[in-house]
Amino acid sequence: MGEKEKWSWRSALIGAATATATAAIILGRPKDPTFHLISIKPKSFKLNLPIVDADLILTVHVTNPNIVPIKYSSSSMSIFYDGSLLGSAQILAGVHPPKSCKLLKLPARLRLSPHASKLLSDVARRELVLDAAVDIGGIAKVLWWDHRFKVHVDSHFIVDPVFLDVLDQENRSSLRLFSG
């Protein structure tokens, strides 16, 4: 009972390596990025009856909560109104630093004419409900390995169609990593 165990450098190093590996796994696990629509700015309206097109700039706040930078490719976000495709916004390829936020300016083109009667009633109510979906692919570099990923984002927006203010929104994103 009074016997002391001998202290060992080997045991201490194994313990320290195990603790470091456990912390790296917990802190380094991939996290879903967050997206938040900040503003909608009109750029132009093209009236070529019966077709009405609107060009807009969407400002989106994106947060990369991960400890590694990500490089993403160009993509197109589909924008839906009343269950049908209204238009799209273009996302240009880029790099997002680790643990950072970034504002993206997305040029969008919407074709308004097929929805004219419902749009007019929504303008009168000053509440326009839009949905959007996008898949963004890219690479996250961890040490010397490139890990391919795909982020899928579904968004639901309520917008004041007169002043183009974002009244409410819900964004869901999911991240998938690919091996090899």
Side-chain angles (χ1 to χ4, degrees):
M1 200 123 134
E3 211 174 298
K4 282 186 157 181
E5 279 208 30
K6 191 173 179 182
W7 192 80
S8 162
W9 276 103
R10 183 174 181 221
S11 295
L13 288 174
I14 290 172
T18 303
T20 301
T22 302
I25 289 170
I26 291 169
L27 295 174
R29 75 179 187 282
K31 298 170 190 76
D32 292 346
T34 59
F35 299 85
H36 188 79
L37 180 63
I38 302 295
S39 67
I40 303 170
K41 301 276 187 234
K43 195 172 169 189
S44 69
F45 284 95
K46 295 181 178 129
L47 184 60
N48 198 4
L49 292 175
I51 298 171
V52 179
D53 287 337
D55 289 333
L56 309 167
I57 300 293
L58 308 178
T59 303
V60 178
H61 181 264
V62 182
T63 302
N64 175 13
N66 296 293
I67 60 173
V68 297
I70 58 171
K71 182 178 180 181
Y72 54 92
S73 58
S74 296
S75 188
S76 180
M77 176 174 49
S78 299
I79 302 169
F80 301 92
Y81 173 70
D82 198 31
S84 62
L85 185 65
L86 182 64
S88 63
Q90 299 308 307
I91 300 170
L92 300 176
V95 176
H96 200 125
K99 297 267 186 197
S100 67
C101 302
K102 197 175 194 181
L103 286 179
L104 299 179
K105 304 274 187 186
L106 309 178
R109 171 161 285 174
L110 306 180
R111 177 140 298 167
L112 304 174
S113 47
H115 311 281
S117 60
K118 178 132 175 49
L119 269 171
L120 289 175
S121 69
D122 286 347
V123 169
R125 283 186 316 125
R126 302 226 8 220
E127 192 172 278
L128 181 65
V129 178
L130 300 172
D131 293 297
V134 64
D135 289 310
I136 304 168
I139 296 173
K141 190 168 188 97
V142 180
L143 298 176
W144 50 86
W145 291 299
D146 288 342
H147 294 278
R148 291 184 316 110
F149 68 87
K150 182 166 89 172
V151 175
H152 178 80
V153 182
D154 286 313
S155 300
H156 180 77
F157 305 105
I158 299 175
V159 176
D160 176 346
V162 176
F163 294 110
L164 296 178
D165 292 330
V166 180
L167 304 174
D168 192 22
Q169 65 183 290
E170 180 184 335
N171 300 293
R172 291 180 314 275
S173 63
S174 61
L175 174 70
R176 275 187 31 191
L177 290 175
F178 300 101
S179 60

